[in-house]
Amino acid sequence: MKKVYIRTFGCQMNVHDSERMLGVLRREGYAPVDAPEEADLIIFNTCSIREKAEQKFYSQLGRTRRLKRDNPALKVAVAGCIAQQQGAGIREKAPYVDYVIGPQNIGRVGDAVLGTEGIFTDDNPELARSDLPAERDRSVKAWINIMYGCNNFCSYCVVPYTRGRERSRPAENILNEVKGLAADGFKEITLLGQNVNSYSGDVSFPELLSRINDIEGIERIRFVTSHPKDLGEGLVRAMRDLDKVCEHIHLPLQSGSDRVLRLMNRKYTFSEYVSKVKMLREAVPDIAITTDIIAGFPSETPDDHKATVSALQEIGFDGIFAFKYSPRPMTRAADMEGQLPDEVKSERLTEILALQDRITEARNKALQNTVQEVLVEGTSGSEPEKMTGRTRTNKIVNIAPSGSVSPGMILKIRILKANRHSLEGEVIDGA
Ligand code: SAH
Ligand code: SF4
Ligand code: F3S
């Protein structure tokens, strides 16, 4: 049997694309391995969202040159967003790369390895209709794509150039895949898209949620990522009324300054964002809200930055991902005036992260002595004697050792202690 090593960078979309490339390669007789030295085929599934992600990949890629010298039969593929963006350019930098496969062409990884070499970066409007097999590496939670690409062209973001135009997958295909996952014993599904809530298949997004909610065996439904401009009453009602849809939403704010939001082409103001948060919290009182923030966007003034800081204080997110602005090829912001020095971006990012750490900790502390429903996923990475899982609000809970706790169980857990990034609890009954 031939062996493939896949190294994945970037977002959940890429993680799931790797699962599907593995699904396709299985049919060609490949099995996954954990060490690149053992592989006949190495795939880098790359991310180009920020410069750092790109650097990380190139430093890894450099090491495969030696592997290829030791084993001339070894094939190397570069997939994902850098593959799409740089295409043949990757082989100019690294001639030992055999295949370049963009995100719209993951289904052709089988063609790639059967042929000799190639560049697969064409626009593929059929991607949303092709049901590719996926080999998922976990057995409790599954990712599932419902839409591809992005039409928003936020001025800092490379994704519209790497993932192509927005396309929604037909509802029937999605529902069939979810039924299959339920039959395989999966308990939780996460619907994926750069903009899940602008899903525009043959039914609306809230209707899609409602149909998935009816599928027996699936206990929890999540979705990422939602765009604030597309968040409407229909989705809020669905979150309130559908029992399996979890009380968590990831809703990237990016900045608290209207001037910066306009430059970012985000199409909402801070006060519009706040009113959506209010609507969510009224309908779903215990909802956890997480967000993304960019520090040091071009021309961001100290006052703009202050607006972001006070936005964090005002809203009280459960968690954030914050990044220094990184200029990306092809994007409008990269050519904007007022690019800030790295020290300024770092300083602002540090302030944002320190503030949010306190807020996250306080929000977690508020859960001490409450009882939470936890879906057990497996053993804890840091404390192998404990099991770990997540609350419906997506918070990690490590569970004190207790005889019969196993992955896939949904348990009532008393929260004993809150740390900054996780909770600790004990089983109170096996409901
Ligand atoms: N589609 C999602 C996520 C896109 S990428 C959305 O619209 O929210 C995830 C996050 O990376 C973004 O929310 C943004 O905060 C960040 N990001 C994207 N491009 C960036 C850049 N050039 N520099 C810094 N952060 C960036
Ligand atoms: Fe990028 Fe904006 Fe599209 Fe998200 S919505 S993927 S940030 S362009
Ligand atoms: Fe990265 Fe592409 Fe995802 S740029 S964040 S892997 S969509």
Side-chain angles (χ1 to χ4, degrees):
M1 189 172 282
K2 286 178 280 186
K3 296 178 183 137
V4 55
Y5 169 80
I6 307 187
R7 170 78 202 267
T8 307
F9 302 84
C11 63
Q12 295 100 331
M13 224 91 45
N14 252 16
V15 174
H16 186 46
D17 283 355
S18 289
E19 292 177 334
R20 292 195 301 177
M21 285 193 281
L22 190 56
V24 171
L25 286 169
R26 233 346 144 182
R27 296 198 290 213
E28 309 299 339
Y30 281 83
V33 289
D34 294 329
E37 294 77 16
E38 291 169 22
D40 304 292
L41 169 67
I42 295 179
I43 301 178
F44 292 101
N45 196 5
T46 62
C47 171
S48 62
I49 199 82
R50 284 169 292 273
E51 202 183 343
K52 250 198 197 141
E54 195 171 321
Q55 286 163 349
K56 233 159 76 192
F57 153 65
Y58 274 110
S59 77
Q60 294 283 319
L61 179 65
R63 293 185 206 169
T64 59
R65 174 191 242 150
R66 180 182 49 81
L67 293 176
K68 204 146 176 176
R69 215 181 300 135
D70 298 345
N71 172 15
L74 173 68
K75 297 286 183 199
V76 177
V78 177
C81 288
I82 299 178
Q84 186 64 34
Q85 207 182 18
Q86 303 186 354
I90 291 179
R91 291 170 70 186
E92 281 159 28
K93 286 189 207 158
Y96 49 91
V97 169
D98 299 280
Y99 321 115
V100 177
I101 305 165
Q104 298 185 56
N105 287 281
I106 48 171
R108 297 177 68 195
V109 65
D111 300 342
V113 297
L114 291 176
T116 45
E117 54 181 57
I119 309 269
F120 301 87
T121 51
D122 310 341
D123 198 36
N124 173 13
E126 284 306 303
L127 179 64
R129 300 193 166 273
S130 54
D131 290 320
L132 298 169
E135 184 160 320
R136 294 177 166 89
D137 73 339
R138 296 173 301 183
S139 54
V140 177
K141 309 200 293 185
W143 309 110
I144 169 163
N145 258 123
I146 66 162
M147 52 93 68
Y148 298 84
C150 181
N151 289 347
N152 285 324
F153 292 93
C154 300
S155 63
Y156 49 82
C157 183
V158 79
V159 172
Y161 306 97
T162 65
R163 301 244 160 200
R165 293 293 63 73
E166 227 168 85
R167 290 174 196 115
S168 293
R169 190 174 172 197
E172 198 186 316
N173 302 38
I174 298 170
L175 295 169
N176 284 338
E177 188 171 355
V178 176
K179 284 177 198 153
L181 290 168
D184 287 342
F186 285 92
K187 295 286 185 283
E188 177 177 307
I189 56 154
T190 300
L191 307 176
L192 290 181
Q194 288 299 347
N195 249 308
V196 268
N197 58 335
S198 72
Y199 174 80
S200 56
D202 30 356
V203 303
S204 69
F205 184 56
E207 175 61 23
L208 180 68
L209 288 173
S210 155
R211 292 195 192 177
I212 295 174
N213 199 72
D214 291 338
I215 296 175
E216 215 173 303
I218 298 297
E219 305 289 350
R220 287 179 168 192
I221 304 168
R222 302 184 185 281
F223 51 91
V224 279
T225 293
S226 304
H227 196 302
K229 79 173 164 57
D230 299 317
L231 178 75
E233 281 172 22
L235 177 54
V236 175
R237 266 198 302 273
M239 293 189 81
R240 181 193 63 194
D241 298 340
L242 299 172
D243 58 323
K244 296 177 183 173
V245 175
C246 289
E247 294 76 27
H248 170 230
I249 191 163
H250 186 65
L251 197 64
L253 169 64
Q254 314 297 2
S255 169
S257 153
D258 287 343
R259 193 187 71 83
V260 172
L261 287 172
R262 212 175 317 115
L263 287 174
M264 287 177 164
N265 192 30
R266 288 291 289 177
K267 303 186 181 89
Y268 53 82
T269 61
F270 178 61
S271 73
E272 283 164 352
Y273 185 95
V274 170
S275 62
K276 304 232 166 162
V277 167
K278 205 165 150 230
M279 179 164 75
L280 283 162
R281 285 180 169 159
E282 270 164 15
V284 188
D286 293 327
I287 194 167
I289 304 178
T290 55
T291 205
D292 294 344
I293 297 287
I294 296 179
F297 187 80
S299 85
E300 185 186 77
T301 63
D303 279 345
D304 292 325
H305 168 65
K306 260 187 223 146
T308 300
V309 169
S310 57
L312 295 178
Q313 278 158 337
E314 179 179 337
I315 294 172
F317 290 106
D318 291 85
I320 66 170
F321 296 105
F323 316 93
K324 283 193 266 187
Y325 168 71
S326 169
R328 305 310 294 136
M330 296 191 277
T331 61
R332 273 193 293 137
D335 296 325
M336 283 180 187
E337 287 181 19
Q339 302 284 327
L340 296 173
D342 193 57
E343 305 86 74
V344 174
K345 292 191 247 185
S346 293
E347 215 171 89
R348 291 180 186 175
L349 178 65
T350 305
E351 185 183 349
I352 286 166
L353 291 174
L355 167 63
Q356 183 59 40
D357 271 352
R358 295 195 295 275
I359 297 172
T360 303
E361 199 168 350
R363 291 192 70 85
N364 284 351
K365 286 256 187 297
L367 296 177
Q368 277 176 180
N369 299 319
T370 65
V371 172
Q372 300 286 322
E373 183 204 288
V374 171
L375 170 60
V376 181
E377 292 170 21
T379 50
S380 157
S382 49
E383 298 165 283
E385 76 285 1
K386 293 187 178 172
M387 299 299 278
T388 187
R390 284 181 190 253
T391 63
R392 289 177 59 96
T393 52
N394 211 32
K395 295 179 194 265
I396 297 171
V397 184
N398 293 322
I399 306 162
S402 149
S404 57
V405 178
S406 64
M409 287 177 133
I410 291 179
L411 301 171
K412 292 267 190 295
I413 300 289
R414 184 181 310 285
I415 304 302
L416 302 172
K417 185 164 176 261
N419 307 315
R420 192 171 290 163
H421 299 293
S422 64
L423 305 169
E424 292 172 36
E426 64 181 5
V427 182
I428 56 172
D429 76 52

